[in-house]
Amino acid sequence: MIVSGCGLLHAWSSWHVDEPEFGTIFLVLELSASQAACCVFPHIPNTSSCAMIAQLSVLLLTGALTAVALPTSSPAKRADPKAVFAHVIVGNTYNYTPDKWASDISLASSKAIDAFTMNVGSNDWQPARVLDAYNAAQQVAPNFKLSISLDMNSLACATVADGQYIIDNFITPFKSHPNRYLYSNKMFLSTFAGQWCTFGQASAPAGWKWLIQNSGTSIYFIPNLQIGDATLLSTTWNFIDGFKLWNAWPKTAADNTQWADDAWWLQNSPGKGYLTLVSPWFFIHRAGGDPAINNRYLRGDNFEYRQRWQQLIDHRDSLPFVEVATWNDYGESHYIGPMTGLWPDDVKYITVNNDHQAWADYTWYYATWWKSGAAPTIATDRVYMWARPHPKNAAICSNDGVGAVLNADWADDLLYISLFLKSPAQAYCYSGSNNSGTKDLNAGVNEFTIPLAVGGVGCTITRNGVTLINYNPTDFTYTTSPSVCNLNAWTGLLRG
């Protein structure tokens, strides 16, 4: 199989296909230096130009397409305490005050999130926002922790001075802070990319060793190295403590496929920590840059968020940590926190009606299950709903000057309904002129869909003839003639 072109070098470092003669194999895409220089990784916030990754690791630039067999043995069972992180784009928090941080941290803590992963870049104001967040946690949630994730597509990393800037601004101020996240009694430090960073040393591995050794504290280093070849974790990069894989979404229209990649990397990182991701949504529609990066949809349909959590629950013995992508990445539409930060001016698909906090509440159930190993008791009846405001093939998404949304055909034009019931009940839900009829439902989590139709949505829950919930939200209307291309989601929640 021959694969070419920057458009196929996505956030993930490997692809897998099923071959009848070989079982499941992985295809690792590696490009020449001239090809890779024009690529932009899809999950880099606000990426719009090839210059963002002008420096790529020579480890990726071999010009080969490698097939790697999927390991068949099970990952080692781990007895680690479990931690759920939420990824925070500090670059979207310029307007944050200590009170805003306190509010976000209190909310996240109430949703079974244990720590914020603070994705930091090169803006000179970001260290102050990070310090505000750490101090806010100390005041309102002493058990809530924070860690630093160095966004190496933003931070400079070619010289010793670049490394010293990182140490001075993102390690030294927090190395003794009571709300720093520790693992194995070491300060937790992750990255986004950075496999090319030398910090004035002879190679990238030598550069990161230098930074760790000169940090002034013990570091648990768990980078997101986009290296393609997992065997390098036990050779070139054998000094790292763990590995982080940005693996939240399916790569195709097929559901529930992410774990195959996790299993491969886990098998190739024995004895190391492993951090993978879970996310409810992905949509970006921005002009400029590579449209395969800045104008696309990744499948969040068919209750994908729950499916991914279920994967992680099923394999919880192998996972010491999980990270939710994200708390506040508005530009890629996968935020679960409040819409109190800032997003790019050219983003028109973020509106007051695209609140995702229902997903934060939904996260509590599955995060708690993953951490404890047992499904939580449902003590309160709840209705969760989510949908897009217009059809996936709406004309505006092809003629607004940005271009047709890549992978839009992966989406389904459905209203998603998840009912959490403490005992059996009946439900009647609708979207416009379409409805579910009256459904007899069991205690627990009940999922179903309704084809979207013009108009509003709603659900009524009754038990023993008594109406418990009558939810008719006023902040969502489905239309077939939108004026803005918006495959971002609306989410809704009402408790009984």
Side-chain angles (χ1 to χ4, degrees):
M1 178 179 179
I2 303 299
V3 181
S4 64
C6 292
L8 293 178
L9 185 58
H10 292 325
W12 317 277
S13 52
S14 63
W15 296 71
H16 77 275
V17 295
D18 291 323
E19 292 287 349
E21 294 182 6
F22 302 104
T24 300
I25 64 172
F26 283 77
L27 300 178
V28 180
L29 180 64
E30 298 180 332
L31 303 176
S32 69
S34 61
Q35 288 175 308
C38 74
C39 298
V40 181
F41 290 101
H43 50 282
I44 302 169
N46 305 326
T47 300
S48 61
S49 70
C50 298
M52 292 292 289
I53 58 164
Q55 302 178 75
L56 284 175
S57 169
V58 294
L59 299 173
L60 276 175
L61 307 181
T62 61
L65 185 66
T66 308
V68 183
L70 177 68
T72 56
S73 59
S74 299
K77 184 173 181 178
R78 308 182 65 104
D80 309 85
K82 307 297 184 187
V84 175
F85 307 143
H87 197 82
V88 175
I89 305 298
V90 177
N92 289 344
T93 66
Y94 179 77
N95 65 328
Y96 261 50
T97 63
D99 285 346
K100 278 192 175 184
W101 282 118
S103 177
D104 276 21
I105 287 166
S106 295
L107 176 63
S109 181
S110 73
K111 305 307 179 187
I113 292 169
D114 303 294
F116 276 166
T117 300
M118 306 294 280
N119 177 286
V120 296
S122 59
N123 301 112
D124 59 6
W125 52 265
Q126 290 197 27
R129 297 301 180 279
V130 176
L131 183 59
D132 284 346
Y134 274 75
N135 289 339
Q138 185 178 6
Q139 294 298 315
V140 301
N143 293 325
F144 192 87
K145 306 301 181 183
L146 300 95
S147 71
I148 299 296
S149 178
L150 304 170
D151 190 337
M152 303 317 302
N153 286 290
S154 175
L155 290 162
C157 60
T159 68
V160 169
D162 295 333
Q164 195 61 51
Y165 175 87
I166 289 172
I167 292 170
D168 292 345
N169 287 278
F170 298 120
I171 296 178
T172 300
F174 311 111
K175 66 182 183 181
S176 299
H177 197 285
N179 289 78
R180 71 198 185 284
Y181 184 79
L182 296 175
Y183 189 73
S184 296
N185 206 34
K186 297 179 179 180
M187 182 179 175
F188 200 84
L189 180 68
S190 59
T191 74
F192 179 77
Q195 62 274 8
W196 58 82
C197 294
T198 61
F199 300 111
Q201 310 306 305
S203 67
W208 284 109
K209 286 180 182 178
W210 174 89
L211 186 136
I212 293 166
Q213 291 166 0
N214 287 274
S215 64
T217 191
S218 296
I219 296 291
Y220 188 89
F221 187 47
I222 184 165
N224 164 238
L225 300 170
Q226 297 167 2
I227 54 177
D229 183 359
T231 63
L232 294 174
L233 297 181
S234 58
T235 55
T236 306
W237 296 94
N238 65 342
F239 65 94
I240 66 176
D241 298 292
F243 181 73
K244 179 177 181 178
L245 186 66
W246 202 272
N247 188 36
W249 305 273
K251 301 178 180 65
T252 68
D255 295 324
N256 207 29
T257 56
Q258 300 97 307
W259 186 256
D261 284 353
D262 290 312
W264 184 51
W265 287 93
L266 273 166
Q267 290 290 338
N268 283 279
S269 55
K272 298 185 184 299
Y274 182 77
L275 174 57
T276 193
L277 275 68
V278 56
S279 183
W281 211 253
F282 189 109
F283 168 66
I284 183 170
H285 186 64
R286 300 182 65 188
D290 184 352
I293 304 305
N294 288 340
N295 185 24
R296 63 202 178 94
Y297 170 78
L298 297 178
R299 186 166 170 83
D301 300 75
N302 197 21
F303 305 96
E304 188 277 332
Y305 193 38
R306 188 268 304 156
Q307 289 192 61
R308 177 59 169 160
W309 270 115
Q310 197 66 57
Q311 287 180 358
L312 304 178
I313 291 165
D314 291 345
H315 297 281
R316 64 182 300 276
D317 286 345
S318 304
L319 301 170
F321 342 93
V322 168
E323 188 165 307
V324 177
T326 59
W327 186 254
N328 70 335
D329 192 340
Y330 311 111
E332 292 182 349
S333 307
H334 46 65
Y335 50 96
I336 66 168
M339 299 170 65
T340 50
L342 301 175
W343 49 86
D345 292 339
D346 66 318
V347 173
K348 299 179 180 179
Y349 47 87
I350 307 295
T351 74
V352 293
N353 293 336
N354 289 118
D355 189 282
H356 290 180
Q357 290 185 76
W359 278 332
D361 194 85
Y362 185 87
T363 296
W364 175 88
Y365 182 82
Y366 293 101
T368 299
W369 188 350
W370 175 77
K371 286 191 284 187
S372 69
T377 299
I378 296 173
T380 303
D381 298 309
R382 283 169 282 174
V383 174
Y384 298 97
M385 297 192 292
W386 57 91
R388 297 176 200 82
H390 64 69
K392 61 185 179 183
N393 60 355
I396 189 66
C397 290
S398 298
N399 61 25
D400 63 355
V402 179
V405 178
L406 184 67
N407 307 328
D409 59 333
W410 294 1
D412 299 320
D413 292 329
L414 297 172
L415 171 65
Y416 292 94
I417 301 164
S418 184
L419 305 181
F420 285 42
L421 301 177
K422 60 184 181 181
S423 60
Q426 293 74 45
Y428 176 90
C429 303
Y430 68 89
S431 171
S433 59
N434 295 331
N435 66 77
S436 64
T438 300
K439 290 180 172 289
D440 292 315
L441 303 175
N442 295 320
V445 177
N446 298 265
E447 297 175 340
F448 56 95
T449 63
I450 299 172
L452 285 161
V454 172
V457 297
C459 269
T460 300
I461 309 300
T462 60
R463 181 178 293 124
N464 300 323
V466 177
T467 297
L468 306 172
I469 298 175
N470 187 24
Y471 187 27
N472 298 284
T474 59
D475 57 346
F476 178 81
T477 300
Y478 186 74
T479 178
T480 55
S481 54
S483 59
V484 173
C485 178
N486 187 359
L487 298 187
N488 190 7
W490 163 86
T491 74
L493 161 65
L494 188 63
R495 295 179 178 86

